[in-house]
Amino acid sequence: MTKTQNSRAGALLSALLFTLMSLALIAPSASAKPIAESPTSISPLLNGQTVPAIQVKDLKGKSVDLQQLIQEKPSVLFFYRGGWCPFCNAQMGQLQAIEGDLLKMGFQLIGISPDAPEELRASMTKNDLNYTLVSDADLNAMRAFGLAYFTSQTISDRYMAKMQLKNKLWKNAAGESRLVLPVPAVYITDKTGLVHFQYINPNYKVRAEPKLILTAASLIPQ
């Protein structure tokens, strides 16, 4: 190969590498699932699958890898709609009541919602919580777990106005700006991040009973 050919080959290789790096930066996460059009059409992460490596934010707004957060420690993860939701606040209180039992079994408790970090801090104070809350305002976790869905236009308008939400609105297939929420869910994983139990209900008014969560956690191999 001549010097000129070597130079061209090197230039082509550099261009290819640059293109691949650019695509990696702009492409969505491989674990991200489409946002469902309704709470009944989600495709959630299932038992036997592993929690993906995705970024959420802590109370200070710092990015945290969810996989690293649960690494080497069995975890109870629960997705909730936000601190503005009375059903979510009731659930957070119930989980606070059983946190001591979960800790004795070796579990940590982590709540995930689209609330911004400052709203998480308000929820911590309001509900007198000791466990971890993380922000998923960018929908990374909700989409990776297959729980994200578009609310209807009516619900989007009502919640944004009545609850004075600051959530980012997302475009659906029709190009309409909608509020995206998670279907409330509970996941229990072992220390490797493998899912052993899940409770998912499209009816946001119905949540997993504390006794059910404790029983499921007691059956997870340590």
Side-chain angles (χ1 to χ4, degrees):
M1 186 178 288
T2 66
K3 184 176 181 180
T4 300
Q5 288 175 321
N6 280 329
S7 178
R8 288 177 179 173
L12 286 172
L13 180 59
S14 297
L16 178 59
L17 288 173
F18 177 79
T19 301
L20 291 174
M21 290 174 64
S22 299
L23 288 173
L25 290 173
I26 63 175
S29 168
S31 63
K33 298 180 181 180
I35 301 172
E37 289 297 327
S38 72
T40 57
S41 59
I42 61 170
S43 300
L45 197 70
L46 302 174
N47 292 344
Q49 296 182 302
T50 303
V51 172
I54 39 119
Q55 296 293 310
V56 291
K57 291 185 178 179
D58 63 16
L59 296 179
K60 296 181 180 179
K62 180 181 177 181
S63 291
V64 179
D65 188 310
L66 185 60
Q67 244 184 17
Q68 293 182 357
L69 191 61
I70 67 173
Q71 193 172 30
E72 298 305 321
K73 195 165 189 179
S75 303
V76 176
L77 309 174
F78 71 98
F79 286 81
Y80 67 101
R81 305 187 326 148
W84 50 270
C85 170
F87 299 95
C88 297
N89 284 316
Q91 180 188 34
M92 286 192 280
Q94 291 173 346
L95 291 172
Q96 177 63 40
I98 65 170
E99 186 196 19
D101 295 319
L102 291 171
L103 290 174
K104 289 177 184 177
M105 288 190 281
F107 286 86
Q108 63 177 340
L109 185 57
I110 301 173
I112 305 170
S113 81
D115 280 351
E118 59 269 22
E119 293 164 334
L120 297 182
R121 293 195 294 270
S123 289
M124 295 284 289
T125 301
K126 177 181 178 181
N127 296 292
D128 193 23
L129 306 179
N130 297 318
Y131 52 78
T132 301
L133 295 182
V134 293
S135 171
D136 189 35
D138 294 326
L139 312 186
N140 293 330
M142 284 183 278
R143 293 190 65 182
F145 278 75
L147 301 171
Y149 74 95
F150 289 106
T151 59
S152 68
Q153 191 68 64
T154 300
I155 293 297
S156 293
D157 294 342
R158 182 192 304 166
Y159 282 4
M160 294 300 291
K162 185 177 180 180
M163 306 298 182
Q164 298 182 332
L165 302 186
K166 299 177 182 178
N167 299 48
K168 176 182 175 181
L169 297 180
W170 301 78
K171 298 283 188 181
N172 64 5
E176 302 162 333
S177 296
R178 300 286 182 86
L179 176 66
V180 174
L181 295 176
V183 170
V186 174
Y187 281 88
I188 303 182
T189 70
D190 62 21
K191 63 182 180 181
T192 70
L194 183 69
V195 177
H196 287 262
F197 172 86
Q198 51 156 317
Y199 179 93
I200 302 163
N201 197 324
N203 182 351
Y204 66 86
K205 297 180 181 181
V206 181
R207 306 297 171 96
E209 291 292 332
K211 186 176 181 180
L212 173 62
I213 295 173
L214 287 173
T215 300
S218 70
L219 300 173
I220 306 301
Q222 296 291 322

